[in-house]
């Protein structure tokens, strides 16, 4: 499994974060079957309206990967990269219709994943946390840091 190979590298010795992974029940089962060390699980719970607003407003500078947001972090000049002045684009999968479809699939899977995680972590005395993802970015970050510092 790629994840096990990656987290066994030297730079992960002091810890690692699997961000946005796993996304399916099979991926969860694979993680536990490989005995990858998991100290805690943090689930960020966010309203669909907030997710749609955040994702559909995202702008990307394709050459560098720099990201902006129409509302939360707009470029200095509308639709232009702050550094190069080149045009910003929207990723195809950031369109509202596609995000709604992805969220529908996610909501079906997350119930199974959450149930499996809770069952597994209660056996191994792991920590499972939920964070309000509707908060401001800095508040979410502080909550995550607080959890990690207490592990």
């Amino acid at each position: 499994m790629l994840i096990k190979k990656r987290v066994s590298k030297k730079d992960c010795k002091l810890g690692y974060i699997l961000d946005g992974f796993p996304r399916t029940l099979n991926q969860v089962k694979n993680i536990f079957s490989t005995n990858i060390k998991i100290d805690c699980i943090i689930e960020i719970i966010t309203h669909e309206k907030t997710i749609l607003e955040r994702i559909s407003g995202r702008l990307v500078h394709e050459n560098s990967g720099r990201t902006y947001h129409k509302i939360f972090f707009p470029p200095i000049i509308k639709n232009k990269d702050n550094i190069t002045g080149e045009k910003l684009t929207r990723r195809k999968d950031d369109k509202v219709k596609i995000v709604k479809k992805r969220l529908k699939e996610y909501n079906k899977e997350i119930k199974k994943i959450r149930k499996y995680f809770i069952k597994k972590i209660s056996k191994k005395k792991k920590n499972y946390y939920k964070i309000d993802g509707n908060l401001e970015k800095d508040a979410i970050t502080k909550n995550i840091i607080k959890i990690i510092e207490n592990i």
Side-chain angles (χ1 to χ4, degrees):
M1 172 183 232
L2 287 173
I3 297 294
K4 184 169 184 161
K5 185 177 178 182
R6 177 63 185 96
V7 301
S8 66
K9 293 190 177 200
K10 187 178 180 180
D11 64 331
C12 293
K13 188 174 182 174
L14 297 176
Y16 50 88
I17 295 173
L18 301 177
D19 180 16
F21 182 85
R23 292 186 179 172
T24 68
L25 185 57
N26 283 337
Q27 289 173 342
V28 172
K29 289 178 179 179
N30 285 334
I31 285 175
F32 280 100
S33 72
T34 59
N35 294 318
I36 292 174
K37 186 175 188 241
I38 299 173
D39 292 317
C40 78
I41 296 161
I42 301 172
E43 182 179 2
I44 301 173
I45 309 291
T46 310
H47 297 128
E48 184 173 313
K49 179 183 174 192
T50 304
I51 293 168
L52 290 171
E53 181 181 47
R54 289 176 182 169
I55 293 176
S56 65
R58 186 166 40 191
L59 299 165
V60 179
H61 179 250
E62 289 184 21
N63 292 333
S64 68
R66 280 186 292 280
T67 59
Y68 300 86
H69 193 278
K70 289 180 181 182
I71 298 167
F72 306 116
F73 183 59
I76 296 167
I77 299 171
K78 187 177 181 178
N79 295 322
K80 301 284 184 181
D81 180 57
N82 289 351
I83 296 171
T84 65
E86 295 171 338
K87 183 180 176 185
L88 299 173
T89 61
R90 285 181 59 202
R91 293 180 2 188
K92 290 177 183 174
D93 60 344
D94 283 353
K95 293 180 181 171
V96 173
K97 184 178 179 180
I98 294 171
V99 174
K100 283 184 177 184
K101 181 182 177 195
R102 288 171 42 205
L103 284 171
K104 186 177 179 181
E105 292 169 16
Y106 169 82
N107 286 323
K108 283 191 326 193
E109 275 300 305
I110 195 60
K111 291 175 186 172
K112 297 181 269 184
I113 291 170
R114 192 180 293 127
K115 184 177 177 181
Y116 189 85
F117 263 148
I118 292 170
K119 178 181 167 188
K120 282 293 201 181
I121 61 176
S122 65
K123 287 181 181 179
K124 296 184 177 191
K125 296 187 175 33
K126 303 288 182 190
N127 299 309
Y128 180 80
Y129 302 91
K130 290 184 181 182
I131 292 180
D132 182 355
N134 299 299
L135 300 172
E136 292 294 322
K137 179 174 64 172
D138 290 343
I140 294 168
T141 302
K142 285 178 186 175
N143 286 334
I144 293 170
I145 290 169
K146 185 178 177 182
I147 290 168
I148 292 170
E149 286 176 342
N150 289 318
I151 294 176

